[in-house]
Every structure is written in C-alpha cells, then in structure tokens.
C-alpha cells in the first residue's frame, strides 16, 4: 500500500554572518543568545530539573557571552545564536527524540535513577518535557506517566540486551500509540506492529543521518540490570 511521504525537508544556515557594528548591538544580540541557549539547552525544563550536561552547557554559554568583544567572538556568537534559534528539521527532531530516550533510559537503569519515587518521577517527567519541547503532541504523555515508565523499563541496560527495546522502537511505539508527532503519519489500515517497525526503521535512518552533526550519544550504563518489580509511580 502506498504511504504518504513524511516531510523531511532540510533547512540551511545563512552563510557569512554580518559583523556587529557597535557594543550596544553586541549586547542586545548576546542577550538574545543567552535566551535562545536557555531554551535550546533547557528544553522546557526548569533549572532544578536539568541534568549535569545541561548545566555545563549553560555555563559554557555564559562563558561565551562574557568573553571579550573581539571579531572572532562576534562571529562565533552569531553562528551559535542562529543555530540555537533556527527551527530544527524533521530529521533533527527525530534524532533528538531518540537521544532523549537514550539519556532518560541510561538514568532510569541506574540505582540512583530508581532510588526513590521522586527520582523516578524526575526521570519520567524530564523525558516528557524534552519530547514535548521537540513536538507539542508529546504533551499527552503527562496524563500517563506509568506508561512512560513502562517504556523506560524496556530500555536496554546494556547494548543489544536480549528481549528489550531500542530507543528508536520506544519512540515509534509512543507515536503509533497516540502521539502523532515528529512528522509521522500513522497508516490506520496497517497493524500497529507493522507501523511501529516502519517508524523504527525511519528513526534509525534519521539517527544515522544526523549523528555526526550533534553530540555523541550518551554511554549506556554497564551496571547489572535492575530486577523487574511490579510497581506504580502513584502520581496524583
């Protein structure tokens, strides 16, 4: 059966940024840069919910912002501002969704991630906030936190761990099960499993296409997989 083609257009950055002509203009643009950096790094989370890598990235943004007013700094800041403010392509959004699951899954499978109800809650809500920042359709996940926790249970504690699911498959399941997100169009006449497999393959292609343009994937934890226990997050 022919499928509708998902939108995968790629936008390009403007070449050769114009040099700022005054300290006032530089100050205005650097303020915009910090605002964009906070939005880009925080992904809709409050400062208290940020992981260590997010805090370090924001510190780096402040270091750049307070650097001396030199032509090299102007050029670097302009380029970073435009990267932070530009709209991500569909492929980049899908890549980031998969990476968000990798990050949350790695935390979830550690003793620290399972140490308390609050730790589990922060992990789940942090993942949802990151996904929602990529596509508002993921906001519906806030109504079913236990289901998201179940998805993280299926994340492999070790690469290729038998019987568990890749980050791409977890994202694909979330989309097929109701979150019409990331430019995907789910074919209702196909079986859910067939659609999940199709979306998983496309996500794998998007990850492969964009992996070199972004930071490396987070390392998987090598700790012993946590014992499966029946539990509910018991959120009000």
């Amino acid at each position: 059966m022919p499928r509708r083609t998902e939108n995968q257009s790629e936008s390009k950055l403007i070449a050769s940024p114009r040099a700022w002509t005054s300290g006032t203009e530089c100050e205005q643009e650097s303020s915009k840069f910090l605002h964009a950096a906070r939005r880009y790094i925080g992904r809709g989370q409050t400062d208290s919910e940020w992981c260590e890598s997010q805090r370090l990235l924001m510190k780096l943004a402040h270091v750049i912002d307070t650097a001396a007013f030199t032509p090299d700094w102007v050029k670097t800041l302009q380029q970073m501002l435009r990267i932070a403010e530009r709209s991500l392509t569909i492929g980049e959004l899908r890549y980031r969704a998969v990476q968000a699951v990798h990050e949350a899954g790695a935390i979830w499978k550690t003793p620290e991630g399972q140490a308390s109800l609050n730790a589990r809650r922060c992990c789940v809500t942090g993942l949802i906030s990151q996904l929602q920042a990529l596509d508002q359709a993921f906001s519906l996940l806030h109504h079913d936190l236990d289901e998201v926790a179940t998805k993280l249970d299926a994340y492999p504690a070790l690469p290729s761990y038998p019987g568990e699911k890749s980050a791409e498959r977890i994202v694909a399941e979330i989309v097929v099960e109701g979150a019409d997100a990331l430019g995907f169009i789910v074919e209702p006449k196909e079986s859910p499993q067939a659609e999940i497999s199709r979306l998983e393959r496309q996500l794998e292609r998007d990850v492969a296409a964009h992996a070199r343009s972004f930071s490396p994937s987070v390392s998987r934890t090598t700790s012993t997989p946590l014992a499966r226990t029946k539990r509910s997050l018991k959120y009000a």
Side-chain angles (χ1 to χ4, degrees):
M1 177 178 292
R3 302 186 184 282
R4 296 174 63 184
T5 303
E6 283 94 12
N7 178 16
Q8 299 188 54
S9 61
E10 298 291 329
S11 61
K12 295 182 179 179
L13 294 177
I14 303 171
S16 302
R18 174 185 63 80
W20 292 327
T21 57
S22 68
T24 300
E25 183 184 9
C26 177
E27 182 178 351
Q28 293 172 343
E29 294 301 311
S30 65
S31 177
K32 286 172 57 181
F33 164 72
L34 284 179
H35 176 76
R38 174 172 289 275
R39 185 188 65 189
Y40 179 79
I41 294 167
R43 287 300 181 192
Q45 297 171 273
T46 62
D47 294 13
S48 62
E49 294 177 311
W50 287 358
C51 64
E52 185 61 22
S53 63
Q54 286 172 300
R55 294 190 181 94
L56 290 174
L57 285 171
M58 199 62 210
K59 286 182 180 179
L60 177 59
H62 280 285
V63 168
I64 294 170
D65 180 65
T66 56
F69 181 66
T70 65
D72 286 343
W73 175 72
V74 169
K75 183 177 180 180
T76 298
L77 187 52
Q78 283 182 315
Q79 290 173 337
M80 293 185 70
L81 173 61
R82 291 186 307 157
I83 290 172
E85 287 194 319
R86 75 184 178 97
S87 296
L88 296 176
T89 66
I90 290 295
E92 289 168 336
L93 289 171
R94 293 171 182 172
Y95 170 85
R96 287 188 175 279
V98 171
Q99 292 306 104
V101 173
H102 277 310
E103 292 169 7
I107 295 170
W108 185 260
K109 288 303 178 76
T110 63
E112 294 78 11
Q114 293 287 313
S116 66
L117 178 64
N118 186 59
R120 294 192 294 275
R121 181 182 186 279
C122 286
C123 187
V124 170
T125 57
L127 171 59
I128 295 172
S129 293
Q130 290 190 54
L131 293 175
Q132 185 177 350
L134 297 172
D135 194 311
Q136 189 61 29
F138 287 115
S139 62
L140 61 84
L141 298 176
H142 286 290
H143 301 296
D144 199 351
L145 301 184
D146 278 342
E147 181 60 28
V148 179
T150 300
K151 301 293 186 192
L152 290 177
D153 277 342
Y155 181 84
L158 295 172
S160 302
Y161 193 74
E164 298 193 332
K165 300 173 182 178
S166 68
E168 289 88 348
R169 188 166 188 86
I170 290 172
V171 174
E173 287 183 353
I174 291 173
V175 173
V176 171
E177 290 169 5
D180 297 327
L182 304 176
F184 284 117
I185 299 171
V186 178
E187 175 54 66
K189 294 183 180 180
E190 297 287 351
S191 71
Q193 287 305 312
E195 286 296 272
I196 289 170
S197 295
R198 178 176 71 88
L199 268 59
E200 180 182 13
R201 290 192 296 271
Q202 181 59 56
L203 286 163
E204 289 172 350
R205 289 192 289 269
D206 289 321
V207 168
H210 294 283
R212 293 182 181 181
S213 301
F214 293 89
S215 300
S217 301
V218 296
S219 299
R220 307 285 184 85
T221 175
T222 56
S223 59
T224 302
L226 295 168
R228 290 284 182 269
T229 57
K230 280 193 173 182
R231 59 91 186 94
S232 172
L233 294 178
K234 298 180 181 177
Y235 297 123

